[in-house]
Amino acid sequence: MKIADQCLADDLSTQAADRSRPKVRPAMHPAIERFLSDEKLVFSLVDGLGSPLNVIFPRQIEETIGRFERVYKDRQLQGTIFYTSKPNKSHALKKQASTTKVGLDVSSEGELKSALTSGFHPDRIEATGPKNIDYLALCIQQNVLINVDNFAELKQIVRMASYSPKGRKARILMRLDGFEPGRVKFTAQDSAFGTPVKDAPAIIDLLVEHKDTIDFHGFSFHFNAGDYIRRPPAIEACLQLTFRCIELGLTPSAIDIGGGYRIRYAACQDEWNTYVEELKASVLGNRDSLTWNDSGLGYYREDGVLKGAPNFMEHYHKNDGHEDFASVIDTPLPAFDGYSTARIVSDNMFELHIEPGRALLDQCGITLAHVNFDKQSILGQQLSVLDMNRTNLNSTQLKLMTDPVVIYRNLDRKPADKGVMYVGNLCLTHDMIQYHKTFPEFVPQTGDAVAFINTAAYQMDFAEAHVLEQAIAKKIAVIEDENGALRWFLDELYNPMAIAGGIKP
Amino acid sequence: MKYEHITDLIGNTPLLKIPAHVHGLKNIDLYAKMEMMNPFGSVKDRIAWGIIKDDIEEIQAKGKTIYENSSGNTAKALQVIANMHGVKTRLITYLAKVDGVKDIVRMLGADIEEVLGGSECFDPNDPNDPQFLIAKMVKDDPEKNYFPSQFTNPKNPDVHYRTTGKEIVDDLKQVDFFFGGLGTSGSTLGAARRIRDEGNPDLVSVGVCASKNDFIPGIRSLDQMWESGLFVKENYNDFVYVDSGESVDAMMDLIRGAGLLCGPTSGASYLGALRYLEKLDHELTEKKNAVFIACDRVEWYTDYIRERRPQLYGLKMKPGSLRAFEFDAGASKERFTVKVDKAQAWIDDENPLIIDVRGNLAYKMTTIPNAINIPWELFETMIDAADPFPKDRPLLLVCPVGEKTSRYAAYLQTRGYRSFSLDGGILEWRNASCRLVKVS
């Protein structure tokens, strides 16, 4: 891989992009770049361990956590940053996170058990998600902080907690939703999560009634990335209810504002803009198609005008991760005389909990795959068929739009003038890895390796399956040792404490 | 010059030649079309009046309400016109980003409703999109509602074809380059079409766009332009992207160098023109003319400008002020802090004035006995400007974790106060189970 393939500087005045072959180069941490530039190592790993292969860069997470902690410190805030285990099953990441001060947010009984074995003490764990009885019981027994989803769950906890050893209360947060819009209008979005805020008085009554068995920590909510307008009214409502609880003799000490902080996937604003512009132009018929079967990725043409909405997320933001978080808590709250969330929380000595699932996994992993062969589709589209399938790069909502980095076995390759689409190994008419066209220099051919960048959050293993008995990707952790050499471990064998202590050879 | 109606003052704006030493181009004369000279202050006066003037009598007679998707210059012009005709307006828009303009529109008597869409992108199918909301309301009762619809109404570019474009050609005869910010695209489309029709078919028309995650009032990213019903990409020869901070810099060059008190959007068009023309300038063998639109005035953008270029406001630090005080948190902390475990005894002995600098809400919920409350914003102003406390009585300053107050205490000691910060703040005090009281 040549350095020219990287777009590190984000300079608006760079020369115009080649609009006929638009690129979206991925934002890439130097550690990932360094790994990919060691082509011998990359090939030996993917050849020796099999395709697909997920490569985790566990130390990235420390950097990212540090940036979030700085936001807390600058505002004199107390509270816990919860690393969320849901977006990635990696043990290496969890163990690395356990060596920092973060808490861990689990969302199933299995994740809770895995958290306990990865080195998280129960008092650092928060349990979210819809919960079955066994999950709830284990939480109560381990004294884990339970983020209660609804009334029924709360009542189950009350009944089970009364069997706890004497004096030990179940620690809970109460998740709310359905906040009133306040000054700004928004259409209500339905959600299967949480309890309607209008039921809060009844919940508070129940909490007061059972304050001997329930240790109520505070209210919580969670919105997805980009959902900025609903946050200030939600925070206001949670704070107002918290003060109400204090007046009623409860002792809530925290507010949990969830996650939903964005990642910057694309390296350049200009490249990202250009790709989306060209995509729209293609849907309007002003250029050759950029999507599989001309599907448009959510856009369509109606009466000559573009309609629809993209089914991919914004890949470039000026403020991502910790900056995004900072802007949320620095927004003035009209119901509190224009004081910010940070100010109210700090002044009142509350704890601020957050669960930045996606954002903490920024630059923590890539997905490598072999090219099985290249061919033309029935209608003449150049395909590159990978030894992986759609379950190996599958997300709940986000389509990954950045170009993968191609590592060619040799340069005896034909030019990829008309672009390439990546297809998977499932025996289906189309097992698309990406639904849009990308423009590498050459057509990737048998034996080449393709690396999808920044796949740790929700992409690499969220929905992976043994479909058609195809391989599930192995995971390895890669770090740079004190001499600057790259070392790799099977994900489950990576032990940051032993390495830091110089015990592991 | 006498006029009957203020609307007669719309249009016929001057064309100002920007001095060559300001823009630095050798072979190109650059002109600003001074749309800021319109009576209500912007280029939008033309379309607001141009679109509704034929319908205003019917709007009045039927008591219709004018709806529009704007809280900026279009809203301002519409509101003034509506006021004069005794017509009601309702302005529905995405959360307005320039408070200065919005405040004036409110002051004029507008009813502004701010909405926000579910998606990050401009989305014509989003039921929360203002354009969609208004279209739906108007359709529900066309007898009572009127929607000029600046984003889709072909009268928008037509007004510029009939007036703006004609004026430029009349004044300049030969126009080689034309630059305007892309918003509704009405001005650039209409004016450029007129210039071409009047015998300059080789006109180079360039749309100036904002970068996608940036914000320049009245300008969108090229990506967003596809959803404007008026935009026709083929009618532009090229597009230039500019950044909002740089646009403010360019605006300042015009203000200071040319005396043109235009706003940041004009700065963006000027910057776009320079970016485009600088590349061609040295290759030209004959003189060329270029025009950009100076769409409105600078005054209402002070907050917007401060956010991007705070140094323009010359916040100088007065020597001896808190702002100028360089605080070394590590150095001999014990000189200006009181540890929590010794605090109660110290308070009993010294009877200090205890000042809790947290917000008033937090103070009322819980504080240290006998503390008074001066939130830190006020406190900083008070101690910077004056000597508000007796110097013979000790001060104990309290904040959440003792960080802010350490600095205040150290600073006030340099001014001769016996000032101390509660180490670790009220949080440490609470953790040590010291007594807290509720004030109310």
Side-chain angles (χ1 to χ4, degrees):
Chain A
M1 189 193 56
K2 294 187 303 266
I3 288 301
D5 282 343
Q6 303 301 308
C7 183
L8 299 171
D10 190 15
D11 183 356
L12 291 169
S13 62
T14 47
Q15 78 267 28
D18 179 359
R19 287 188 167 264
S20 65
R21 306 176 76 246
K23 289 185 172 203
V24 184
R25 281 172 286 191
M28 225 189 302
H29 191 279
I32 298 178
E33 259 177 68
R34 157 123 211 263
F35 170 76
L36 289 176
S37 64
D38 191 342
E39 298 188 359
K40 234 171 110 185
L41 175 65
V42 171
F43 281 125
S44 82
L45 286 169
V46 72
D47 294 346
L49 293 168
S51 170
L53 178 67
N54 288 324
V55 184
I56 301 287
F57 297 85
R59 286 182 177 166
Q60 295 316 117
I61 201 167
E62 286 189 337
E63 259 183 63
T64 311
I65 289 168
R67 287 194 282 267
F68 274 86
E69 284 174 341
R70 188 76 225 171
V71 174
Y72 269 75
K73 188 165 184 320
D74 287 347
R75 290 158 185 75
Q76 312 188 358
L77 286 167
Q78 317 294 312
T80 305
I81 300 163
F82 287 97
Y83 168 83
T84 308
S85 68
K86 174 171 65 176
N88 197 300
K89 300 188 190 94
S90 163
H91 298 278
L93 282 171
K94 224 171 283 171
K95 284 184 199 159
Q96 190 80 45
S98 78
T99 66
T100 71
K101 288 186 195 144
V102 297
L104 184 69
D105 160 19
V106 299
S107 35
S108 72
E109 189 190 359
E111 282 190 5
L112 174 55
K113 288 174 177 166
S114 148
L116 294 168
T117 59
S118 294
F120 278 93
H121 189 273
D123 67 15
R124 291 170 69 186
I125 302 174
E126 177 202 351
T128 57
K131 301 165 201 73
N132 66 21
I133 296 293
D134 293 335
Y135 182 22
L136 272 184
L138 187 57
C139 288
I140 295 168
Q141 282 167 333
Q142 291 289 336
N143 208 21
V144 162
L145 180 63
I146 307 169
N147 199 335
V148 180
D149 181 76
N150 58 64
F151 236 114
E153 214 172 274
L154 180 58
K155 285 177 183 161
Q156 287 171 349
I157 293 168
V158 167
R159 285 166 66 182
M160 283 196 281
S162 54
Y163 289 97
S164 279
K166 203 169 180 194
R168 206 167 82 202
K169 302 179 185 179
R171 301 160 62 225
I172 70 155
L173 292 164
M174 197 72 218
R175 179 161 171 171
L176 302 177
D177 204 339
F179 299 97
E180 289 295 322
R183 304 152 298 134
V184 276
K185 268 195 139 176
F186 47 78
T187 15
Q189 286 183 6
D190 208 356
S191 168
F193 270 141
T195 303
V197 72
K198 64 177 166 48
D199 292 347
I203 286 170
I204 295 172
D205 287 347
L206 198 73
L207 293 172
V208 172
E209 185 187 342
H210 295 285
K211 65 180 176 183
D212 295 337
T213 40
I214 301 290
D215 178 6
F216 177 57
H217 277 240
F219 293 102
S220 80
F221 69 87
H222 171 83
F223 295 135
N224 290 333
D227 205 344
Y228 295 100
I229 194 58
R230 297 203 292 155
R231 281 180 206 195
I235 294 173
E236 286 176 351
C238 287
L239 285 170
Q240 280 159 341
L241 288 168
T242 306
F243 289 121
R244 174 87 191 120
C245 288
I246 293 171
E247 279 165 20
L248 293 171
L250 294 170
T251 53
S253 56
I255 163 171
D256 179 345
I257 62 168
Y261 310 112
R262 307 174 298 192
I263 284 186
R264 182 182 301 164
Y265 286 97
C268 290
Q269 174 84 77
D270 279 1
E271 287 194 345
W272 174 243
N273 287 356
T274 301
Y275 199 95
V276 176
E277 284 159 27
E278 291 303 315
L279 169 64
K280 291 178 177 179
S282 83
V283 172
L284 287 170
N286 298 337
R287 62 160 293 154
D288 54 308
S289 173
L290 284 175
T291 54
W292 176 246
N293 262 335
D294 218 357
S295 60
L297 296 173
Y299 291 112
Y300 58 95
R301 181 187 153 118
E302 192 180 284
D303 301 331
V305 177
L306 191 80
K307 296 266 176 165
N311 59 18
F312 49 85
M313 277 189 3
E314 277 296 305
H315 272 41
Y316 190 99
H317 310 98
K318 270 223 162 112
N319 303 318
D320 60 344
H322 67 291
E323 292 169 333
D324 197 8
F325 163 54
S327 75
V328 168
I329 61 170
D330 289 340
T331 299
L333 302 176
F336 290 92
D337 299 329
Y339 280 144
S340 67
T341 304
R343 180 78 193 278
I344 298 287
V345 167
S346 160
D347 271 0
N348 286 284
M349 299 175 284
F350 295 144
E351 290 182 292
L352 181 72
H353 298 330
I354 57 169
E355 293 133 13
R358 183 186 299 277
L360 288 195
L361 294 182
D362 191 17
Q363 300 291 345
C364 282
I366 65 174
T367 299
L368 282 169
H370 269 145
V371 178
N372 279 341
F373 50 85
D374 74 285
K375 67 177 284 190
Q376 306 283 313
S377 74
I378 300 304
L379 295 182
Q381 169 63 49
Q382 176 66 52
L383 304 176
S384 184
V385 184
L386 303 182
D387 203 5
M388 67 184 286
N389 59 67
R390 61 169 85 154
T391 75
N392 303 124
L393 189 74
N394 194 352
S395 152
T396 42
Q397 353 148 292
L398 168 79
K399 288 201 187 337
L400 188 67
M401 298 284 288
T402 51
D403 303 346
V405 175
V406 184
I407 302 144
Y408 299 98
R409 205 59 80 149
N410 58 64
L411 289 182
D412 180 19
R413 296 282 181 269
K414 57 186 178 195
D417 294 341
K418 298 249 167 79
V420 168
M421 289 188 130
Y422 292 101
V423 191
N425 57 14
L426 296 185
C427 184
L428 294 171
T429 46
H430 49 226
D431 173 33
M432 305 309 293
I433 304 297
Q434 290 185 316
Y435 281 82
H436 68 286
K437 212 186 272 186
T438 60
F439 296 89
E441 201 172 343
F442 304 106
V443 176
Q445 290 178 24
T446 309
D448 292 344
V450 170
F452 296 91
I453 308 301
N454 218 352
T455 56
Y458 292 104
Q459 305 268 356
M460 63 169 58
D461 67 6
F462 191 79
E464 66 183 359
H466 259 307
V467 52
L468 300 188
E469 300 204 18
Q470 294 282 16
I472 281 198
K474 288 193 177 62
K475 271 196 200 75
I476 60 168
V478 170
I479 58 165
E480 201 172 296
D481 71 11
E482 60 273 26
N483 304 317
L486 292 176
R487 294 191 64 185
W488 68 270
F489 305 84
L490 283 176
D491 179 66
E492 59 272 28
L493 297 183
Y494 175 71
N495 187 333
M497 275 180 85
I499 293 167
I503 298 164
K504 193 140 187 158
Chain B
M1 213 182 284
K2 277 204 256 173
Y3 287 91
E4 291 285 323
H5 303 287
I6 185 91
T7 45
D8 297 341
L9 271 73
I10 295 174
N12 292 312
T13 55
L15 200 58
L16 177 75
K17 189 169 171 179
I18 305 299
H21 71 267
V22 175
H23 58 64
L25 300 168
K26 299 275 174 286
N27 297 311
I28 301 168
D29 286 338
L30 181 59
Y31 294 86
K33 177 66 172 162
M34 291 180 64
E35 289 301 296
M36 55 203 278
M37 299 284 279
N38 278 303
F40 317 133
S42 86
V43 65
K44 296 293 191 179
D45 297 7
R46 291 184 192 258
I47 60 150
W49 183 233
I51 292 177
I52 69 171
K53 70 175 172 191
D54 297 335
D55 302 323
I56 192 72
E57 279 178 23
E58 191 198 322
I59 296 170
Q60 255 178 324
K62 292 192 172 167
K64 288 187 180 184
T65 301
I66 300 174
Y67 285 75
E68 187 51 284
N69 175 5
S70 167
S71 63
N73 282 322
T74 305
K76 176 152 55 77
L78 275 176
Q79 188 60 40
V80 176
I81 295 166
N83 286 345
M84 291 190 302
H85 293 85
V87 173
K88 274 198 301 193
T89 62
R90 260 188 97 190
L91 305 166
I92 300 179
T93 170
Y94 277 122
L95 203 61
K97 290 177 188 161
V98 184
D99 286 341
V101 182
K102 188 176 68 180
D103 282 349
I104 288 175
V105 178
R106 280 228 167 86
M107 184 195 85
L108 291 169
D111 171 9
I112 304 178
E113 190 174 323
E114 294 175 328
V115 300
L116 247 113
S119 74
E120 269 180 87
C121 314
F122 180 85
D123 179 0
N125 290 342
D126 181 347
N128 265 342
D129 187 87
Q131 193 76 18
F132 183 92
L133 277 178
I134 301 172
K136 190 164 159 283
M137 283 186 214
V138 174
K139 208 154 79 186
D140 286 349
D141 194 355
E143 286 303 298
K144 284 283 160 217
N145 301 325
Y146 180 87
F147 185 17
S149 192
Q150 59 164 342
F151 281 97
T152 59
N153 195 329
K155 279 188 176 178
N156 174 349
D158 284 351
V159 168
H160 290 290
Y161 181 85
R162 281 186 286 106
T163 65
T164 323
K166 179 177 186 305
E167 293 163 22
I168 293 170
V169 179
D170 287 352
D171 290 339
L172 209 55
K173 307 297 182 273
Q174 181 65 31
V175 187
D176 303 293
F177 302 97
F178 181 68
F179 299 88
L182 287 186
T184 65
S185 76
S187 61
T188 43
L189 281 181
R193 185 150 49 93
R194 183 62 175 247
I195 297 167
R196 291 195 177 105
D197 286 358
E198 295 274 328
N200 293 318
D202 298 330
L203 170 78
V204 174
S205 158
V206 179
V208 179
C209 318
S211 199
K212 195 161 179 167
N213 280 301
D214 202 357
F215 170 64
I216 300 175
I219 298 194
R220 305 216 224 150
S221 73
L222 187 56
D223 169 35
Q224 292 168 325
M225 289 312 297
W226 290 111
E227 287 101 357
S228 167
L230 298 171
F231 180 65
V232 185
K233 194 182 180 193
E234 289 64 39
N235 288 9
Y236 297 86
N237 298 77
D238 216 332
F239 301 92
V240 189
Y241 274 97
V242 295
D243 159 89
S244 65
E246 294 169 334
S247 297
V248 168
D249 296 338
M251 174 198 81
M252 287 311 301
D253 290 345
L254 288 173
I255 289 177
R256 292 184 177 169
L260 188 69
L261 268 65
C262 58
T265 316
S266 311
S269 293
Y270 172 63
L271 178 65
L274 289 190
R275 285 258 166 86
Y276 193 83
L277 297 174
E278 274 164 356
K279 282 184 256 168
L280 318 165
D281 186 40
H282 62 279
E283 289 167 7
L284 295 175
T285 50
E286 54 179 5
K287 208 77 177 164
K288 299 276 184 188
N289 286 331
V291 177
F292 71 95
I293 291 188
C295 55
D296 66 359
R297 292 186 62 93
V298 68
E299 284 85 348
W300 30 67
Y301 295 105
T302 50
D303 290 338
Y304 175 91
I305 295 162
R306 185 180 291 112
E307 270 174 35
R308 284 157 181 84
R309 293 294 184 260
Q311 66 274 22
L312 287 171
Y313 293 77
L315 291 171
K316 287 212 182 66
M317 290 187 290
K318 191 171 66 179
S321 67
L322 175 65
R323 211 197 302 269
F325 177 63
E326 281 181 31
F327 175 53
D328 178 6
S332 48
K333 199 173 158 192
E334 64 282 356
R335 281 201 294 122
F336 48 82
T337 57
V338 175
K339 291 219 172 312
V340 162
D341 57 355
K342 308 219 166 68
Q344 193 57 57
W346 185 80
I347 291 169
D348 294 344
D349 288 350
E350 298 272 346
N351 185 29
L353 176 60
I354 305 173
I355 306 173
D356 181 344
V357 303
R358 298 174 305 145
N360 188 247
L361 173 81
Y363 167 77
K364 282 195 288 191
M365 291 299 294
T366 182
T367 190
I368 294 176
N370 299 317
I372 64 163
N373 178 226
I374 308 176
W376 62 261
E377 296 91 339
L378 288 171
F379 187 79
E380 288 190 358
T381 316
M382 286 169 73
I383 60 176
D384 233 1
D387 282 309
F389 314 112
K391 288 195 174 169
D392 54 356
R393 186 176 173 192
L395 298 174
L396 180 65
L397 308 177
V398 181
C399 73
V401 295
E403 250 181 55
K404 271 189 190 309
T405 45
S406 305
R407 181 160 178 268
Y408 299 157
Y411 167 69
L412 284 169
Q413 285 193 4
T414 67
R415 299 252 311 262
Y417 286 93
R418 295 171 59 206
S419 51
F420 300 90
S421 163
L422 181 65
D423 196 26
I426 193 162
L427 191 69
E428 193 63 32
W429 177 273
R430 186 184 69 178
N431 292 347
S433 302
C434 298
R435 194 161 84 91
L436 287 163
V437 292
K438 187 171 162 61
V439 185
S440 51

